[in-house]
Amino acid sequence: MSKQTSLFANIKADASSGLVVFLIAVPLCLGIALASGAPLFSGLIAGIIGGLVIGALSGAQLSVSGPAAGLTAIVLTAITKLGAFDVFLLAVVLGGAMQLLLGIAKAGSVANYFPSNVIKGMLTAIGIIIILKQLPHAFGYDKDSEGDFAFIQVDGDNSFTALLSTLNHIHLGATLITAISILIILYWNKIPKLNVVPAPLVAVLAGIALNKLFSTGILSLDQNHLVSLPVAASVNDFIGQFSLPKFSALTNKEVWITAATIAIVASVETLLNVEATDKLDPLKRYTNPNRELRAQGIGNMISGLIGGLPITSVIVRSSANINAGGRTKLATMVHGALLLVCAALIPGILNMIPLATLAAVLLVTGYKLCKISIFKEMFKNGKYQWIPFVVTVVAIVFTDLLMGIALGMAVSIIAILRGNIKSSYFFRKEKYNTGDSIRLELAQEVSFLNKASIMLTLDHLPENSTVVIDASKTSYIDFDVLETIREFKDVKAPQKDITVMLTGFKDVYNVMNSSDISVEQQTAQTSGHVHTISTGNHKQLLKELQPN
């Protein structure tokens, strides 16, 4: 059960955290819209709906939703293929409806099948990507869009070549603002009495003040280095920035294909981000994934109806929310309300914020996600945790979120298969007066994943030996495994003069047990020592069978 927290239990911390997330969300919403080939205002609409609508409907306390960088390529391709933005909006509405149906059908449990090493790898990779993408802004190289989080950027550069290009475009004013902003974020809270004001807010105000101070000369920042929010000249201009979907395109097959793609990708990304956010939650609360899918579906339907981009839970803003002290979903609702108010009333003030200051906030957030201590912790957990973790991190950094998670999952499955090969049974070699005997004690659960290891072991038994297969401690044996045992007992064992004794098999398995008396008689003949191996492994068994 999720721990319930009153919406207004931490109003002061949530309000300041919502402000911080809002400041981070502004350039991200605009940048993602730009990278997606969509109107800039569509990114703000998605951020507003993600904060106000999904924030209110979701059970997630700390997750922040908005336009996602992971959907940028899908959106860009879809708008081009469908030929018009209003046709694409219809696909967003339909995709949201599909998400709503997935939530009603309780499909959110799919998130439970993602291992923790992949989730931690995703968080660490996001931290590394944030640092790579924000370093150019930290030094004043603001060529690439703020929302482009893929390794290969829309401008043809990649994360590393952009860093190299930064060396030729270092802006002293931006660099100084970044350095001062980072120092404020790291040390402001250590100043008694002054720490009641959130450090990121102080950093933003300091950035604006420094840029005003640098208004002339080499340190001065022009508008290219500042937040760029659309400014409406009148109420009609503001309302005119909203768009309606083209419902006449309902018969277009490509619209439905795009809708299904958005529904699947957005749902998977949301579920993974929500689970990752729950792991970062200081209060260790649990988010109902089915309720989250329903909230996301309704949010995407509304976003598409008024001209917004598709929405997912976003780990960058969610982790920033946690680091800024957010404790309830009031923080994400505050961030959505601020986006709406400022987009409508005071966009000019926001356009005074240096991108270098926002880069400083994100650099600190990224560092907290990918600390060296996380790598050390995963390494200590063993290779079956470490290898999928590293693969996930590297794959996400060099490809994209979903591809990296898919590769991490594949490696985790391989690790599970190897683990099952070594844990499907226990064996021991016993010395009898009449020769060697091998006892295989099947584990409590024997699935089809264990078939390969058991088959290898049985096939490598030496001729003229005796094997006792004991299922007395087993509660479940997969049909494929039973067929393997039957085939060995009836076909393969007689060919090698191997005596097979079966014991403990339940009647439902339809495998005839050998006489319990004969097993006891053979056991009574045991002499010498018994050497026990903890887990089944045919190579270990072969080594054990070697003559002394």
Side-chain angles (χ1 to χ4, degrees):
M1 293 293 292
S2 176
K3 299 176 184 177
Q4 297 299 317
T5 305
S6 172
L7 186 63
F8 300 103
N10 298 276
I11 185 169
K12 182 178 178 181
D14 288 333
S16 62
S17 179
L19 176 61
V20 171
V21 176
F22 153 72
L23 294 172
I24 293 172
V26 169
L28 289 176
C29 290
L30 296 174
I32 290 170
L34 180 64
S36 301
L40 291 180
F41 196 67
S42 65
L44 288 177
I45 292 172
I48 293 167
I49 299 301
L52 291 178
V53 177
I54 297 179
L57 297 177
S58 170
Q61 295 296 321
L62 298 175
S63 172
V64 180
S65 296
L71 292 175
T72 299
I74 294 174
V75 174
L76 181 61
T77 303
I79 293 175
T80 303
K81 181 178 292 186
L82 296 176
F85 184 65
D86 56 355
V87 178
F88 169 74
L89 291 178
L90 178 61
V92 176
V93 174
L94 295 175
M98 293 177 187
Q99 279 187 293
L100 178 60
L101 292 176
L102 288 173
I104 295 173
K106 300 186 183 302
S109 59
V110 68
N112 298 328
Y113 294 96
F114 290 90
S116 61
N117 50 15
V118 173
I119 300 298
K120 290 180 180 179
M122 180 188 77
L123 285 171
T124 302
I126 292 293
I128 293 172
I129 290 172
I130 290 173
I131 292 173
L132 291 174
K133 293 297 185 181
Q134 292 304 314
L135 279 174
H137 295 295
F139 290 102
Y141 182 52
D142 299 313
K143 175 188 175 184
D144 62 308
S145 64
E146 295 85 353
D148 190 355
F149 273 75
F151 180 72
I152 303 298
Q153 298 171 177
V154 294
D155 59 8
D157 267 342
N158 61 52
S159 299
F160 295 125
T161 58
L163 289 179
L164 293 175
S165 299
T166 301
L167 297 176
N168 299 320
H169 299 85
I170 293 178
H171 192 291
L172 293 179
T175 304
L176 185 58
I177 289 174
T178 298
I180 293 175
S181 297
I182 290 177
L183 290 174
I184 291 173
I185 294 168
L186 292 178
Y187 296 105
W188 180 261
N189 290 333
K190 297 180 180 181
I191 303 175
K193 296 183 180 180
L194 293 180
N195 57 13
V196 294
V197 182
L201 175 58
V202 176
V204 168
L205 295 176
I208 295 175
L210 286 170
N211 188 41
K212 290 297 181 183
L213 185 64
F214 304 156
S215 58
T216 58
I218 192 173
L219 299 179
S220 177
L221 300 178
D222 59 32
Q223 190 59 45
N224 292 331
H225 300 293
L226 306 177
V227 170
S228 180
L229 193 66
V231 179
S234 64
V235 174
N236 289 334
D237 283 348
F238 177 73
I239 295 175
Q241 294 183 81
F242 293 88
S243 305
L244 294 175
K246 187 175 182 179
F247 288 101
S248 61
L250 270 173
T251 57
N252 187 338
K253 182 180 70 174
E254 293 297 331
V255 169
W256 289 91
I257 294 174
T258 301
T261 303
I262 291 172
I264 294 171
V265 176
S267 296
V268 171
E269 188 165 337
T270 288
L271 293 173
L272 290 174
N273 286 333
V274 166
E275 183 172 349
T277 303
D278 284 349
K279 291 183 183 297
L280 297 174
D281 184 1
L283 302 180
K284 302 303 177 186
R285 289 163 291 189
Y286 167 76
T287 299
N288 185 318
N290 297 312
R291 178 177 174 180
E292 185 64 27
L293 281 182
R294 294 194 294 271
Q296 294 285 336
I298 293 172
N300 272 315
M301 290 173 68
I302 296 174
S303 181
L305 284 171
I306 61 176
L309 293 176
I311 303 168
T312 74
S313 170
V314 190
I315 193 62
V316 176
R317 275 156 271 185
S318 300
S319 57
N321 181 28
I322 295 169
N323 291 330
R327 289 296 177 266
T328 75
K329 60 183 182 179
L330 179 64
T332 188
M333 295 171 67
V334 167
H335 124 271
L338 288 174
L339 280 175
L340 176 59
V341 171
C342 292
L345 302 178
I346 53 171
I349 295 178
L350 296 179
N351 290 343
M352 297 166 60
I353 301 174
L355 292 175
T357 297
L358 299 180
V361 175
L362 287 170
L363 283 173
V364 174
T365 297
Y367 170 73
K368 290 181 178 180
L369 289 174
C370 62
K371 290 181 178 178
I372 297 298
S373 59
I374 297 173
F375 287 86
K376 292 180 178 178
E377 175 193 342
M378 295 304 298
F379 185 77
K380 290 179 180 179
N381 290 338
K383 62 182 180 181
Y384 292 127
Q385 290 291 313
W386 167 250
I387 294 176
F389 168 79
V390 172
V391 169
T392 303
V393 171
V394 173
I396 290 177
V397 170
F398 284 95
T399 57
D400 56 48
L401 184 68
L402 293 178
M403 178 62 71
I405 290 170
L407 290 174
M409 283 292 295
V411 174
S412 291
I413 291 172
I414 293 172
I416 292 171
L417 290 173
R418 288 184 62 84
N420 272 277
I421 285 176
K422 296 185 177 182
S423 62
S424 57
Y425 57 85
F426 300 89
F427 65 78
R428 63 187 182 191
K429 172 187 176 185
E430 299 175 332
K431 185 72 175 179
Y432 291 94
N433 293 334
T434 55
D436 287 343
S437 177
I438 302 299
R439 175 178 288 272
L440 300 181
E441 297 178 0
L442 300 182
Q444 184 176 7
E445 299 281 343
V446 184
S447 72
F448 73 94
L449 298 174
N450 309 126
K451 175 182 174 181
S453 62
I454 293 175
M455 182 182 293
L456 284 170
T457 298
L458 295 176
D459 288 346
H460 284 81
L461 290 174
E463 296 181 358
N464 303 311
S465 61
T466 298
V467 61
V468 179
I469 303 177
D470 186 354
S472 58
K473 298 179 181 179
T474 305
S475 60
Y476 169 78
I477 305 178
D478 186 82
F479 177 81
D480 288 349
V481 176
L482 290 174
E483 284 293 294
T484 298
I485 293 173
R486 286 195 192 99
E487 181 184 9
F488 177 78
K489 180 178 181 293
D490 298 336
V491 179
K492 296 181 179 180
Q495 294 174 356
K496 299 172 68 175
D497 292 326
I498 297 175
T499 301
V500 180
M501 309 295 295
L502 304 181
T503 182
F505 285 83
K506 299 174 183 178
D507 292 339
V508 70
Y509 295 149
N510 197 26
V511 175
M512 184 178 294
N513 289 303
S514 303
S515 170
D516 290 338
I517 295 177
S518 63
V519 174
E520 291 171 0
Q521 287 174 341
Q522 288 204 27
T523 304
Q525 297 174 4
T526 304
S527 62
H529 71 282
V530 175
H531 188 80
T532 302
I533 306 296
S534 61
T535 57
N537 183 303
H538 77 280
K539 292 182 179 179
Q540 288 178 293
L541 179 56
L542 287 175
K543 182 178 180 181
E544 189 66 23
L545 293 173
Q546 294 298 318
N548 295 327

